[in-house]
Amino acid sequence: MKKVISLSVAAAILATLSACNSSSDPVVVPPPPPPPPPPVVVDATLRVIHASFDAPDVNILVGGEPVVQGLAYGQSSDNFELAPATYNVAVQAILPGNETATVIGPVDLALAEATNYKVFAVGLVADETLEPLIVTSDVKDLAAGNVRLQVVHAASAAPTVDIHVTAPDAALSTALATLDFKDATNALDVPAGNYRVRITLPGENTVVFDSGPLELAGGTDLVVAAINNRFSGASPVSLLAVTPNGDEIDIKDVDTTASVRVVHNVSDAPAVDIIVNDELKLVEALAFPDFTDYVGVAPDTYNVKVAAAADNSIVVINEDLELEAGAFYSVLAVGALGENSIEPLVLADTPRRIATEAQVRIVHGSTLAGAVDIYVTATNDISEATPAFSNVPFKAETGYVSLNAGEYVVTVTPTGTKTAAIGPIALNLDANKIYTAIARDGEGLTADVGLILMDDFVTQD
């Protein structure tokens, strides 16, 4: 009996299994679990900072294509986010006539994941030391209430230095870092607050740069580079702070001055004194057509009087001049005494010389010449030439014009004519020089009009 029962149970089980495997009931296979998500790739970032003092504006090429054009000294490109890979990077110098020459690279730059790359163009063109300086830091979040600083020595004019970062009123103590040219610190996170940056020679207390108090708010992320100083003042360096977006902040020395020179360009006026704030004789007995050297003064607004040297009660100019920190100015006395038209003409100067070009500036300071055309040609013949500058009025200037080194002829004519009022004047222009010429009246308003020659016209080696 037990055997029969067992067979019956076995038959029932086999029937059930047979029914499960019938064609009318397919087997359902569960799907495989989804693959794990790929790891998050954090882009690299890349920015280029122009820190070569005597280099012209530059273009930045990536993969042979320009991504930044006309980057000037003391400027940074935008901050580019790039996938980790190897990129071909080159720097082109912009030469006179919009010609270009590759001055750095092309180089293959391997960008690693989650890394910030700051590529500084450092060194000098004139001594063939121009090169890229690559400074890196990690991409990471900045804790609330903190400031991130990375300090770079990018100043070819400065030797090895100590960098001191302290509270504003703190005495010098142990340096944050001692940096050679082209050295950099790591990126350092410090609490937000007020700081002061001072630079000394190693182990010394004589300060060659002093930022004064700097307020750094939480979340500030700066690369701070010491670069050759292009501002008025005695410090050999200034600081260029660059944000992650590529914005620049110039940090000048606390003793940064304004630099002023004065030009006597009134041909029928006697020698003059320049009196500042009714108490300081900045210049004494300046005669036509002479000019002074630059004089450094504290940035401020000054009352300036131009008075006859023989009798200071005779004042021909009485003006308030605002002089900004770091700026250079040429102040010309222009007009005619006999016409009671003497006035100041204030020009903004840029005395940084560029190794790849001569810079020429022409100022129209002649009351007699009227509007003029200015020709810059290879020969004396202007009969078929087009003016380099047309219809230039009294008191206008050309700005700094970039020219290749070489021989040129300058001719100034009344507008619309080929009749020379000044010149033709042959000029031999060297690269890395600045040449300023001011068109002036003839002495006593009777002699021939001529030029006041300044800068490297009169400081030839």
Side-chain angles (χ1 to χ4, degrees):
M1 189 69 171
K2 287 182 180 180
K3 187 173 182 181
V4 172
I5 293 173
S6 297
L7 289 173
S8 299
V9 172
I13 293 173
L14 287 172
T16 301
L17 289 176
S18 175
C20 289
N21 287 319
S22 69
S23 60
S24 60
D25 294 309
V27 176
V28 177
V29 180
V40 176
V41 176
V42 179
D43 284 345
T45 70
L46 172 68
R47 65 190 113 153
V48 179
I49 300 161
H50 189 331
S52 175
F53 184 75
D54 67 346
D57 294 357
V58 298
N59 299 327
I60 312 300
L61 281 66
V62 175
E65 296 296 325
V67 295
V68 177
Q69 294 181 303
L71 190 70
Y73 178 69
Q75 289 186 340
S76 170
S77 72
D78 291 338
N79 204 28
F80 300 102
E81 293 188 359
L82 299 170
T86 297
Y87 295 87
N88 186 265
V89 179
V91 177
Q92 287 181 337
I94 302 174
L95 306 177
N98 285 323
E99 298 293 324
T100 60
T102 300
V103 291
I104 294 179
V107 295
D108 288 332
L109 182 60
L111 303 188
E113 179 184 356
T115 305
N116 292 316
Y117 290 84
K118 284 80 66 172
V119 180
F120 291 82
V122 298
L124 296 175
V125 175
D127 62 10
E128 299 182 347
T129 58
L130 180 66
E131 62 178 311
L133 168 63
I134 300 172
V135 177
T136 63
S137 60
D138 293 335
V139 174
K140 60 181 181 179
D141 292 334
L142 181 58
N146 275 2
V147 172
R148 181 168 296 151
L149 296 175
Q150 185 171 27
V151 182
V152 182
H153 186 337
S156 61
T160 302
V161 294
D162 282 348
I163 308 293
H164 301 263
V165 180
T166 67
D169 296 328
L172 292 175
S173 57
T174 302
L176 172 72
T178 299
L179 299 180
D180 292 329
F181 175 48
K182 299 187 287 186
D183 281 350
T185 68
N186 294 323
L188 306 172
D189 289 3
V190 297
N194 292 320
Y195 290 89
R196 182 180 180 186
V197 179
R198 284 169 284 184
I199 299 176
T200 69
L201 294 178
E204 298 186 9
N205 289 327
T206 300
V207 175
V208 297
F209 175 88
D210 185 347
S211 71
L214 298 174
E215 184 178 354
L216 301 179
T220 302
D221 186 346
L222 297 175
V223 177
V224 181
I227 64 174
N228 292 5
N229 189 16
R230 65 192 187 281
F231 302 110
S232 170
S235 178
V237 301
S238 63
L239 298 184
L240 177 67
V242 181
T243 72
N245 294 329
D247 296 329
E248 310 97 3
I249 305 166
D250 283 310
I251 303 173
K252 304 180 185 74
D253 183 78
V254 291
D255 293 324
T256 292
T257 61
S259 283
V260 183
R261 61 182 177 182
V262 180
V263 184
H264 189 324
N265 190 40
V266 181
S267 70
D268 64 340
V272 297
D273 293 341
I274 312 298
I275 304 167
V276 176
N277 292 344
D278 291 322
E279 58 186 24
L280 171 65
K281 283 192 178 181
L282 186 67
V283 178
E284 294 188 69
L286 183 67
F288 172 82
D290 293 339
F291 54 90
T292 69
D293 293 330
Y294 283 111
V295 177
V297 298
D300 204 342
T301 297
Y302 294 90
N303 176 258
V304 177
K305 292 182 173 68
V306 177
D311 182 357
N312 284 173
S313 68
I314 303 173
V315 177
V316 293
I317 293 177
N318 183 354
E319 297 281 348
D320 290 337
L321 298 180
E322 182 180 356
L323 305 180
E324 296 183 358
F328 293 81
Y329 302 91
S330 291
V331 180
L332 284 62
V334 298
L337 180 62
E339 298 292 331
N340 194 30
S341 62
I342 300 176
E343 60 180 319
L345 175 60
V346 181
L347 305 178
D349 298 346
T350 307
R352 182 177 70 92
R353 287 156 173 80
I354 298 173
T356 54
E357 63 193 49
Q359 298 178 78
V360 178
R361 179 172 62 160
I362 301 174
V363 183
H364 187 339
S366 171
T367 65
L368 299 176
V372 298
D373 293 339
I374 302 173
Y375 294 84
V376 181
T377 54
T379 70
N380 290 355
D381 184 8
I382 63 170
S383 59
E384 302 298 326
T386 300
F389 303 94
S390 297
N391 199 27
V392 180
F394 175 54
K395 297 188 293 184
E397 62 151 321
T398 62
Y400 293 90
V401 180
S402 298
L403 295 174
N404 289 310
E407 296 181 355
Y408 297 87
V409 176
V410 173
T411 308
V412 180
T413 73
T415 293
T417 79
K418 299 289 186 176
T419 304
I422 299 175
I425 298 173
L427 302 177
N428 188 10
L429 306 181
D430 294 328
N432 215 14
K433 298 288 182 70
I434 291 175
Y435 301 91
T436 298
I438 301 171
R440 59 165 179 80
D441 294 331
E443 189 162 2
L445 294 176
T446 58
D448 292 339
V449 296
L451 296 175
I452 299 173
L453 301 178
M454 300 173 66
D455 295 319
D456 290 315
F457 277 127
V458 293
T459 58
Q460 302 284 356
D461 294 333

